[in-house]
Amino acid sequence: MHTTSKGASSIMPIVRERNALRYFLHSLLMCAALIYGSRPLFGQTAGSSDEQAQEAQSISATSSSSDQSSEDPQQPSAQSVICGVTHLGQCLKDIGHDQAGIWTSPLRISPRDAFWLVPFAAGTGVALHYDAQAQQNLGIDKSRIDASNTISGFGSPYATLGGAAGLYFLGLGTHNEHLAETGRLGAEAVINSLLVVEALKLATNRERPNEGNGQGGFWPHGTRSYELDGSFPSGHAAESFALARVIASEYPSKQVQIAAYAFALAISASRVTARQHFPSDVLVGGTFGYLIGGYVVRHHAAGNEESTLFIAPIMEQSTRTFGLRVDIVPNEQDLTKIGKLIGRLHGAK
C-alpha cells in the first residue's frame, strides 16, 4: 500500500502538468495570432482589379453627370456607423467580429512569431511549475490579503467598464472626440477580454490557490467537480491590461503610458498577493488583455485605416483622349505627414 500511494502521488502532478500544457499551448496560439493578425477579419477587402478597371472605364461617359449628382444636397452620403450610445447595435456587431477574429487567430500564425512566442512560452512554463511554491512562500497574512483585495477591486469588470464608460461620457460632455473614442475602445477591449477569459476559465477549470490542496490543479476531480469561475487565466489582469493598452495607445506620452501600465501591474500583482490567482494566471491573463487591447485599437480606432493608391487608365470617347485616374486615400497619419512636408517646402522657398 505504501508503494501504491507513492506512485499515485507522483503520477498526479504529471497528469496536472499535461493538462496545463494543453491549455497553455492553445493560449500561445491565440496570443501569437493576435499580434500577427493586424488585418480585420470582417473588414473591407481590397476591391478586385477587374471591378476597378470597369469602374474606371465607365467614368468617362458619366463623369459630368456623377459630379452634378454628388453635389446635390439631397443625395445621401454613405458614412460608416460608429459604435456609441446611439448605435448600440453596431457595438454588438463590432464585438461579434472581434470575437470571431480572436478565436480564429491561431490560423494566422507566422513563423516570425517564434521571436517572442518562445520566451513567452518559457516564462509561462516556469510560472506554472513554481505556482504552488510561490503561494506557499507568500504564506497567509490577513492584513496583506485584505489590502490586496481592496486594490484588485479597481481591476474588476465593473470598475474597468465603469472607468471606460466614464471616459466616454466625459468626452461626449466636453465635445472631446478623442477622449470619447478612448472610452469607447476601452469598453470594447474590456468586454472582449472578459468574454475570452470566461471561455478559457470554463475550458480549464483550474482551482484557485485558496481552494482544494492549493496546487492549482486543472480539472482536479474530473467532471465530478466543476467551477464556473476558475483561476486560469486572471480576468482582473486581462481587463486592466486591455484598458491600459487602449489608453496608452490613444495617448502615447510617457507619463500616460507609465501610469496606465503601472495600474495594470498593480492590479495583477494584487491578485497573487490576495491568494486569488497563481503567477501564471496573471501572466497569461495580462498578456491576453494587452494583445486584445491592441487588437481593438488597430481595428476600430479612427485614423487607422490603411492608405490606398489606385491608378487606372481612362478614355474619353467623345474627344478621343486618354488619361489616367489616380485615387489616393491616405489615412490620418499620412495626412499629417503630408501637411508637415508641404510646410517644410514652403519654408524652404
Side-chain angles (χ1 to χ4, degrees):
M1 293 299 293
H2 177 70
T3 304
T4 303
S5 62
K6 182 178 181 181
S9 63
S10 62
I11 290 173
M12 289 301 294
I14 296 176
V15 175
R16 184 169 64 249
E17 289 178 4
R18 287 179 178 175
N19 291 335
L21 180 61
R22 182 170 67 251
Y23 297 120
F24 173 58
L25 288 177
H26 183 264
S27 300
L28 288 180
L29 290 176
M30 289 183 63
C31 285
L34 278 171
I35 285 185
Y36 175 69
S38 60
R39 295 181 299 273
L41 180 66
F42 287 84
Q44 253 188 346
T45 57
S48 62
S49 58
D50 295 338
E51 293 177 355
Q52 291 176 341
Q54 293 175 1
E55 180 185 359
Q57 292 175 0
S58 63
I59 195 175
S60 59
T62 60
S63 58
S64 58
S65 60
S66 63
D67 290 341
Q68 292 175 358
S69 62
S70 63
E71 294 175 359
D72 188 356
Q74 297 180 352
Q75 185 82 8
S77 59
Q79 296 181 352
S80 59
V81 179
I82 299 178
C83 165
V85 290
T86 57
H87 298 96
L88 295 178
Q90 184 62 39
C91 299
L92 296 177
K93 290 181 181 179
D94 290 346
I95 293 172
H97 292 170
D98 291 342
Q99 288 297 303
I102 290 169
W103 288 106
T104 60
S105 59
L107 303 176
R108 299 188 292 276
I109 289 180
S110 170
R112 67 180 181 181
D113 294 318
F115 176 77
W116 70 270
L117 187 58
V118 172
F120 174 68
T124 309
V126 171
L128 283 168
H129 181 74
Y130 289 103
D131 273 343
Q133 181 178 339
Q135 282 293 348
Q136 290 176 1
N137 293 338
L138 278 175
I140 299 177
D141 185 338
K142 189 177 184 305
S143 60
R144 184 202 69 217
I145 293 175
D146 292 341
S148 299
N149 282 324
T150 301
I151 295 173
S152 65
F154 292 98
S156 67
Y158 303 104
T160 50
L161 274 176
L167 294 177
Y168 174 73
F169 286 108
L170 180 61
L172 290 182
T174 58
H175 304 287
N176 188 333
E177 295 182 0
H178 189 196
L179 184 61
E181 179 187 76
T182 302
R184 172 177 61 84
L185 297 179
E188 291 183 20
V190 170
I191 293 174
N192 279 312
S193 299
L194 177 64
L195 293 175
V196 170
V197 165
E198 290 304 317
L200 290 176
K201 284 178 180 288
L202 294 175
T204 56
N205 192 28
R206 188 185 194 186
E207 287 185 329
R208 292 180 181 267
N210 53 11
E211 297 175 344
N213 58 5
Q215 299 297 310
F218 293 81
W219 294 93
H221 308 293
T223 56
R224 293 175 300 168
S225 176
Y226 189 73
E227 294 290 339
L228 296 177
D229 188 23
S231 182
F232 184 88
S234 169
H236 284 63
E239 291 141 20
S240 58
F241 264 100
L243 181 59
R245 176 71 185 275
V246 170
I247 294 174
S249 299
E250 289 291 297
Y251 294 91
S253 66
K254 292 298 181 182
Q255 294 82 359
V256 174
Q257 290 178 342
I258 292 174
Y261 290 127
F263 161 78
L265 285 172
I267 297 299
S268 301
S270 68
R271 298 303 285 169
V272 177
T273 56
R275 294 183 60 82
Q276 294 292 329
H277 284 288
F278 293 100
S280 62
D281 298 335
V282 299
L283 175 60
V284 175
T287 303
F288 263 70
Y290 176 84
L291 296 177
I292 290 173
Y295 183 95
V296 170
V297 170
R298 287 195 304 268
H299 287 69
H300 301 296
N304 277 0
E305 298 83 4
E306 294 183 356
S307 301
T308 58
L309 172 64
F310 170 62
I311 303 176
I314 59 175
M315 180 180 65
E316 183 65 46
Q317 296 179 355
S318 59
T319 59
R320 295 183 179 181
T321 56
F322 299 89
L324 287 176
R325 175 189 176 187
V326 180
D327 291 339
I328 302 176
V329 183
N331 59 23
E332 184 178 346
Q333 185 177 3
D334 290 339
L335 285 173
T336 303
K337 293 180 180 179
I338 293 173
K340 291 181 179 179
L341 178 61
I342 295 176
R344 291 176 182 175
L345 292 176
H346 279 290
K349 290 183 178 181

